[in-house]
Each structure stands twice: as structure tokens, then as C-alpha cells.
Amino acid sequence: MMRVGAVKQAALVGRTTVSVARPMATATKKVDFIQQIYLDKIKEYAAKSKSGGIQQPPELAARFAEEKEKLRNIYARNPFNPDVADDPTKPPSFQFKDPNLSDVF
């Protein structure tokens, strides 16, 4: 008896959820006028940046290059040999030396 009541309750909740969600789905398809202008500008900027139509000011380009060089210096360091740049695409190389057993015996 209890199980039948739970099934009816679940069906009622399911119908309520669908009836509430349906108007919300149609409301999200409508786009505000200002929002549409904003989206158009973003698409226009993306198209210009892909074609190279947007020029950076020289001071901004210099600062960007400086920041890239700083990051390259930070992340390209080899922790085992600081004089040699680290190549993250190749696996690390290990060098094992045989112990001098003449000291032990």
C-alpha cells in the first residue's frame, strides 16, 4: 500500500517538473536586444582576431613578450641541471653509478 502512494507521488512530481520546465525552456531561447549586440561584437572580435585585423599597441606587445619570457624561464628550468633547459616532451634520463665496493670489503 505504501509503495503505490510513493509511485503516485513520484508521478505527480514528475508532471509538475515537466510543466514548470517547459515554459522555462522556451523563455531561454529569446535573446535580449542588448545581449544580442554583445554576442555580435564578440563574434566580430573573434573573426577579426583570427584574420589578424586587430593590432596590439607596441608597449602591450613588448610586455606580453616579456611575460612569456619570464614564464619560459620559470617552467623550462631543469631541476637537476640548471644550465640546461628542460624538455618536457622527453622522459627524464637517469644515471646510476656502481658503488665502490672496495671500501666496504
Side-chain angles (χ1 to χ4, degrees):
M1 192 75 175
M2 189 77 142
R3 187 173 182 189
V4 173
V7 171
K8 285 183 182 179
Q9 183 68 23
L12 178 63
V13 169
R15 261 185 276 148
T16 305
T17 305
V18 170
S19 65
V20 170
R22 204 173 283 161
M24 288 173 45
T26 58
T28 56
K29 291 182 182 179
K30 296 178 184 174
V31 179
D32 185 25
F33 176 71
I34 302 297
Q35 185 179 11
Q36 186 62 45
I37 292 173
Y38 184 72
L39 292 174
D40 292 341
K41 287 293 181 180
I42 289 175
K43 290 176 186 175
E44 179 184 339
Y45 181 80
K48 281 184 180 179
S49 65
K50 284 182 183 178
S51 66
I54 297 176
Q55 299 295 324
Q56 284 184 339
E59 61 272 359
L60 184 62
R63 186 169 176 204
F64 183 67
E66 181 181 306
E67 291 294 325
K68 278 176 55 176
E69 186 63 30
K70 273 200 283 188
L71 289 173
R72 186 177 296 116
N73 289 338
I74 290 171
Y75 292 110
R77 288 189 190 143
N78 186 344
F80 303 109
N81 188 358
D83 298 330
V84 179
D86 190 23
D87 184 12
T89 59
K90 70 177 192 176
S93 62
F94 298 102
Q95 298 175 355
F96 296 104
K97 296 180 181 177
D98 290 332
N100 188 3
L101 296 178
S102 64
D103 295 338
V104 177
F105 295 110

